[in-house]
């Protein structure tokens, strides 16, 4: 079946612009996660959605970052007033349930802020 | 606080040699542990996972890992490395969100 998809695969933007990154999880997966992978860094948790519960935003690095999930499926990560340090690969993952499950990762969106 | 340490940033092994990648974790409850592999230009692929039960778990591509609670470790092993194993390997702990180590880059030489 189809895996997690993300779009765009690459995004180049200018400092100060807003960007939106999209994630389509595996159908039927109730949990969705966003991570950031910076050069030379591991994967950093950003935010997680589970069903209709309030999202866990504890990993968002600043209030310029936000995310929403519509209809329990597609999610959009928005970065406002982008900075050069936001340059990274943004990974989305989904899992059937929040707990005790492996996560299935998408290919990522590579964001470059000039 | 939850965290994962992968002490080896980069490892080089000869094809056919054995491999062990180290992972140490800090987690307040029963850990759920994972190893993922990321090949160049590819997404993360799950190699294996540990939730409970037998502390030696088998994964795909001939990998295995052993959970040692006393050492807070979950080291990944493979008895004979293939050139196609060259990749970045990540250990992760947690539920629901994962805490990842910084990864170990594996180079395989002929």
């Amino acid at each position: 079946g189809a895996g997690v998809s993300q779009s765009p695969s690459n995004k180049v933007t200018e400092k100060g612009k807003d960007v939106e990154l999209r994630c389509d999880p595996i159908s039927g997966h109730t949990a969705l996660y966003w991570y950031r992978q910076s050069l030379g860094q591991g994967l950093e948790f950003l935010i997680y959605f589970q069903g209709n519960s309030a999202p866990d935003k504890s990993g968002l690095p600043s209030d310029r970052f936000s995310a929403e999930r519509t209809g329990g499926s597609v999610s959009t990560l928005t970065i406002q007033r982008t900075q050069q340090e936001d340059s990274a690969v943004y990974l989305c993952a989904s899992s059937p349930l929040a707990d005790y499950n492996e996560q299935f990762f998408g290919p990522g969106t590579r964001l470059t802020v000039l | 606080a939850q965290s994962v340490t992968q002490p080896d940033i980069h490892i080089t092994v000869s094809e056919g040699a054995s491999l062990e990648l180290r992972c140490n974790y800090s987690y307040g409850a029963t850990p759920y542990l994972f190893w993922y592999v990321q090949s160049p230009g590819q997404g993360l692929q799950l190699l294996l996972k540990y939730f409970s039960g037998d502390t030696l778990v088998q994964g795909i591509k001939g990998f295995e890992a052993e959970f040692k609670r006393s050492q807070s470790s979950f080291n990944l092993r493979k008895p004979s490395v293939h050139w196609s194993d060259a990749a970045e390997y990540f250990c992760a702990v947690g539920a629901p969100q994962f805490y990842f180590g910084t990864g170990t880059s594996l180079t395989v030489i002929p």
Side-chain angles (χ1 to χ4, degrees):
Chain A
V4 177
S5 61
Q6 293 186 244
S7 60
S9 55
N10 281 284
K11 177 70 177 179
V12 180
T13 190
E14 295 178 348
K15 178 181 174 181
K17 301 286 189 180
D18 297 352
V19 295
E20 288 188 348
L21 312 179
R22 176 187 169 105
C23 172
D24 284 86
I26 294 172
S27 178
H29 281 192
T30 61
L32 185 148
Y33 312 78
W34 283 97
Y35 294 88
R36 178 169 70 176
Q37 185 175 21
S38 304
L39 187 64
Q41 303 291 317
L43 287 89
E44 173 190 8
F45 164 73
L46 297 177
I47 187 171
Y48 130 74
F49 298 87
Q50 168 55 43
N52 295 320
S53 302
D56 178 347
K57 305 179 182 180
S58 61
L60 294 179
S62 79
D63 59 8
R64 296 187 295 105
F65 288 73
S66 63
E68 63 177 20
R69 189 178 185 190
T70 54
S73 180
V74 172
S75 178
T76 302
L77 176 70
T78 301
I79 309 174
Q80 297 178 309
R81 305 181 302 281
T82 53
Q83 303 295 311
Q84 288 185 331
E85 60 263 29
D86 300 334
S87 296
V89 176
Y90 289 82
L91 293 166
C92 176
S94 69
S95 66
L97 292 171
D99 290 339
Y100 321 132
N101 268 280
E102 71 180 271
Q103 295 177 19
F104 297 81
F105 283 81
T109 293
R110 181 175 297 278
L111 175 66
T112 303
V113 182
L114 302 177
Chain B
Q2 299 90 336
S3 66
V4 174
T5 301
Q6 293 181 248
D8 304 305
I9 297 173
H10 185 256
I11 284 181
T12 299
V13 298
S14 298
E15 191 168 15
S18 64
L19 172 70
E20 183 170 27
L21 303 182
R22 295 183 290 166
C23 172
N24 293 97
Y25 67 89
S26 174
Y27 196 72
T30 302
Y32 298 91
L33 295 155
F34 307 82
W35 275 100
Y36 281 82
V37 61
Q38 187 177 39
S39 299
Q42 303 295 312
L44 285 158
Q45 181 183 23
L46 180 72
L47 286 175
L48 47 77
K49 59 188 176 185
Y50 171 79
F51 290 164
S52 64
D54 193 346
T55 57
L56 184 64
V57 294
Q58 303 297 320
I60 63 171
K61 305 184 179 185
F63 286 92
E64 67 178 25
E66 186 171 12
F67 168 60
K68 293 185 177 180
R69 184 185 297 274
S70 62
Q71 298 178 19
S72 298
S73 70
F74 189 57
N75 294 348
L76 182 71
R77 301 194 294 248
K78 186 170 185 178
S80 179
V81 171
H82 188 263
W83 64 266
S84 61
D85 294 324
E88 189 87 15
Y89 291 80
F90 292 94
C91 180
V93 64
Q97 69 266 44
F98 285 177
Y99 297 89
F100 283 88
T102 50
T104 297
S105 177
L106 175 65
T107 298
V108 180
I109 56 177

